[in-house]
């Protein structure tokens, strides 16, 4: 199966939706920041692993605490994912901090600053 097949794309979307719901509503870890969002998800074609790119609104300490909290809750999150999505294998979740939104906001501020000077 190709990495970007229709089936894999559909599974990625379903896992993204459920992972967002589980992190925002089910996980009770106080280290996880309230403004945590799942940006994108990449499930391997064999359904063994899942890379979840996480964006956290806050300073570096909040980002690190959120990542630590998510890693410690990975077993619970995986179990809840297995209950809500009917897959042959429930993937092992690897959380990766995604800074693209923060980078985009920073670039937007710089562009506005340059336009304001002109």
């Amino acid at each position: 199966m190709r990495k970007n097949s229709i089936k894999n794309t559909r599974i990625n979307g379903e896992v993204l939706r459920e992972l967002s719901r589980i992190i925002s509503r089910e996980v009770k870890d106080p280290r996880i920041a309230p403004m945590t969002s799942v940006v994108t998800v990449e499930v391997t074609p064999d359904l063994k692993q899942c890379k979840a790119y996480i964006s956290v609104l806050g300073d570096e300490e909040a980002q690190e605490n959120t990542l630590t909290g998510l890693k410690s809750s990975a077993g619970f999150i995986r179990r809840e994912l297995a209950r809500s999505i009917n897959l042959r294998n429930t993937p092992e979740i690897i959380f990766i901090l995604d800074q693209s939104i923060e980078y985009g906001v920073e670039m937007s501020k710089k562009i506005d600053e340059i336009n304001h000077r002109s």
Side-chain angles (χ1 to χ4, degrees), residues 28-104:
K28 303 290 188 230
D29 195 324
R31 294 175 288 188
I32 298 174
M35 292 299 290
T36 301
S37 59
V38 182
V39 178
T40 188
V41 169
E42 293 176 1
V43 180
T44 57
D46 63 356
L47 304 177
K48 297 286 185 190
Q49 284 191 332
C50 167
K51 291 181 183 176
Y53 294 90
I54 306 295
S55 176
V56 180
L57 190 64
D59 58 351
E60 276 190 44
E61 184 181 350
Q63 292 174 351
E64 289 174 16
N65 288 341
T66 299
L67 213 52
T68 304
L70 287 172
K71 286 179 182 176
S72 69
S73 303
F76 170 78
I77 294 170
R78 186 177 182 189
R79 188 172 61 244
E80 290 298 313
L81 194 62
R83 287 183 184 159
S84 60
I85 299 178
N86 187 18
L87 291 174
R88 188 178 336 115
N89 297 321
T90 304
E92 175 189 343
I93 304 167
I94 300 167
F95 294 104
I96 301 168
L97 191 61
D98 184 23
Q99 311 233 326
S100 62
I101 294 175
E102 186 178 323
Y103 179 76

Side-chain angles (χ1 to χ4, degrees), residues 5-19:
S5 69
I6 294 170
K7 179 182 176 188
N8 202 320
T9 303
R10 185 176 49 82
I11 290 172
N12 285 344
E14 188 69 25
V15 170
L16 174 75
R17 190 169 32 260
E18 286 302 316
L19 213 55

